């Protein structure tokens, strides 16, 4: 986090505001090209063999190809959905950090695909065929999925209407998508697994950086158990709590499993629950 803070102070002026809108606009361009001239769209895909033979624009232009082009109604709904998610993430994290997250995902995908292609060329020799094979795994689907998963981590209890009818919390929908991606990962061969893992590396790094791994140590587990036992003792007066989140107002009486921490970056003694510790706006005097 300190390293990210240093980068933000130095390079934040170069960050692109409303980045999700530009991604959606790029998808719209790619969608129109696919409808008007599918042959032209084939020159935008990620193909390591062609990249190494001078078509360097493919390093970037694959981002223009939308995840789905089958149904325009479904396409418009999904793009609106991801625009809302991305815009809210940008407001939560800040413009610079959101830029790092998105461009990091694009960079990891490109590097992972190129390295995988080089390994396959060494093993199987046929560079042109291997370029098409590896390029087939490179998709903007994982960019959208990384946005969705990050939003679900930040706002797990937010409720949406699936298909405008079924109310469901973000965390349950994230579990479903994670299970589907795990199934695809298992079914794929090792080149596909490498590309998929690299495509979601930005989310993996983000997830690990926002988890307090110390909570799983034996000492911390024992501390939580002792605390929960003390809270349940009848000696605690009704209505008096030890902890209270400065954002949502929840206390240990609302959910005994909640974890509370004070924020060292806020000016004052502000305590937050586990859902808002990493997503709140720091209070400065």
């Amino acid at each position: 986090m300190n390293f990210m803070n240093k980068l933000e102070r130095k390079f934040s002026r170069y960050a692109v505001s409303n980045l999700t809108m530009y991604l959606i606009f790029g998808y719209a361009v790619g969608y129109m090209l696919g409808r008007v001239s599918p042959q032209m769209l084939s020159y935008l895909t990620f193909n390591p063999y062609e990249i190494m033979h001078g078509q360097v624009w493919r390093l970037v232009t694959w981002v223009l190809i939308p995840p789905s082009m089958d149904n325009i109604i479904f396409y418009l709904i999904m793009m609106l959905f991801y625009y809302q998610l991305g815009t809210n993430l940008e407001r939560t994290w800040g413009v610079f950090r959101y830029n790092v997250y998105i461009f990091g995902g694009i960079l990891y995908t490109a590097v992972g695909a190129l390295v995988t292609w080089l390994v396959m060329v060494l093993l199987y020799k046929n560079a042109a065929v291997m370029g098409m094979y590896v390029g087939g795994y490179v998709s903007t689907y994982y960019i959208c999925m990384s946005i969705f998963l990050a939003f679900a981590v930040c706002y797990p209890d937010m409720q949406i209407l699936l298909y405008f009818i079924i109310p469901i919390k973000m965390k349950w929908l994230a579990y479903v998508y994670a299970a589907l991606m795990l199934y695809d990962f298992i079914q794929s061969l090792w080149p596909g697994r490498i590309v998929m893992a690299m495509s979601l590396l930005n989310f993996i790094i983000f997830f690990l950086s926002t988890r307090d791994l110390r909570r799983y140590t034996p000492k911390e587990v024992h501390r939580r158990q002792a605390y929960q036992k003390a809270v349940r003792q009848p000696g605690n007066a009704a209505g008096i709590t030890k902890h209270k989140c400065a954002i949502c107002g929840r206390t240990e009486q609302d959910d005994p499993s909640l974890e509370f921490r004070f924020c060292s970056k806020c000016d004052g003694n502000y305590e937050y629950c586990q859902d808002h510790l990493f997503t709140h706006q720091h209070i400065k005097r």
Side-chain angles (χ1 to χ4, degrees):
M1 297 302 292
N2 290 333
F3 176 71
M4 184 63 68
N5 291 335
K6 292 178 180 178
L7 287 179
E8 185 171 8
R9 286 193 294 267
K10 185 175 292 187
F11 300 108
S12 60
R13 62 181 180 274
Y14 302 113
V16 180
S17 300
N18 208 3
L19 180 59
T20 310
M21 182 186 70
Y22 292 104
L23 289 175
I24 300 300
F25 178 76
Y27 288 159
V29 172
Y31 185 89
M32 293 302 298
L33 287 176
R35 292 297 181 182
V36 175
S37 178
Q39 183 64 29
M40 183 180 295
L41 197 65
S42 66
Y43 287 98
L44 305 181
T45 59
F46 192 97
N47 188 318
Y49 176 80
E50 300 296 346
I51 291 172
M52 292 300 181
H53 285 75
Q55 298 183 13
V56 292
W57 63 83
R58 292 177 182 266
L59 285 168
V60 178
T61 54
W62 64 273
V63 181
L64 298 177
I65 303 175
S68 175
M69 298 181 62
D70 298 330
N71 187 308
I72 188 170
I73 301 298
F74 176 79
Y75 166 78
L76 291 175
I77 292 174
M78 293 306 297
M79 291 304 100
L80 177 61
F81 177 63
Y82 283 113
Y83 173 75
Q84 293 174 338
L85 297 186
T87 301
N88 278 284
L89 276 182
E90 186 175 286
R91 292 171 181 169
T92 301
W93 295 348
V95 176
F96 177 78
R97 292 170 188 261
Y98 184 68
N99 273 231
V100 171
Y101 185 76
I102 296 299
F103 289 126
I106 295 173
L107 177 62
Y108 298 147
T109 302
V111 171
L114 287 173
V115 172
T116 303
W117 174 74
L118 290 174
V119 173
M120 294 194 69
V121 169
L122 293 175
L123 294 176
Y124 304 107
K125 306 301 182 183
N126 197 329
V129 174
M130 292 302 103
M132 295 180 61
Y133 176 75
V134 174
Y137 285 103
V138 178
S139 170
T140 54
Y141 168 78
Y142 298 106
I143 296 178
C144 294
M145 194 53 57
S146 67
I147 294 174
F148 172 80
L149 292 175
F151 188 88
V153 170
C154 291
Y155 303 99
D157 294 319
M158 178 175 287
Q159 184 172 276
I160 62 172
L161 292 178
L162 186 63
Y163 301 116
F164 301 103
I165 300 175
I166 307 172
I168 185 173
K169 289 186 177 181
M170 290 293 296
K171 60 182 178 182
W172 302 122
L173 196 57
Y175 289 144
V176 172
Y177 277 112
L180 293 175
M181 286 190 292
L182 179 61
Y183 176 79
D184 290 339
F185 183 84
I186 295 173
Q187 292 295 313
S188 300
L189 298 176
W190 68 265
R193 293 175 182 175
I194 294 176
V195 175
M196 290 173 63
M198 292 296 293
S199 298
L200 292 172
L201 184 60
N202 59 336
F203 169 73
I204 296 172
I205 294 174
F206 160 74
F207 181 80
L208 293 177
S209 66
T210 56
R211 300 298 94 183
D212 186 3
L213 300 181
R214 293 176 299 174
R215 64 181 302 196
Y216 300 106
T217 61
K219 181 179 179 180
E220 184 65 15
V221 171
H222 175 73
R223 188 200 64 79
R224 288 204 310 272
Q225 291 174 347
Y227 166 75
Q228 292 172 4
K229 182 179 179 180
V231 169
R232 289 193 294 266
Q233 290 179 353
N236 293 322
I240 300 178
T241 61
K242 293 183 178 180
H243 304 282
K244 184 176 181 180
C245 178
I247 299 296
C248 63
R250 289 188 295 177
T251 68
E252 70 273 10
Q253 292 184 355
D254 297 315
D255 186 353
S257 64
L258 278 177
E259 293 291 324
F260 295 87
R261 295 287 187 276
F262 286 95
C263 179
S264 60
K265 296 182 180 179
C266 289
D267 294 338
N269 295 324
Y270 292 96
E271 191 176 22
Y272 303 94
C273 68
Q274 61 198 34
D275 294 331
H276 297 105
L277 178 60
F278 300 101
T279 59
H280 69 274
Q281 184 175 359
H282 298 302
I283 299 175
K284 300 295 183 181
R285 295 177 180 174

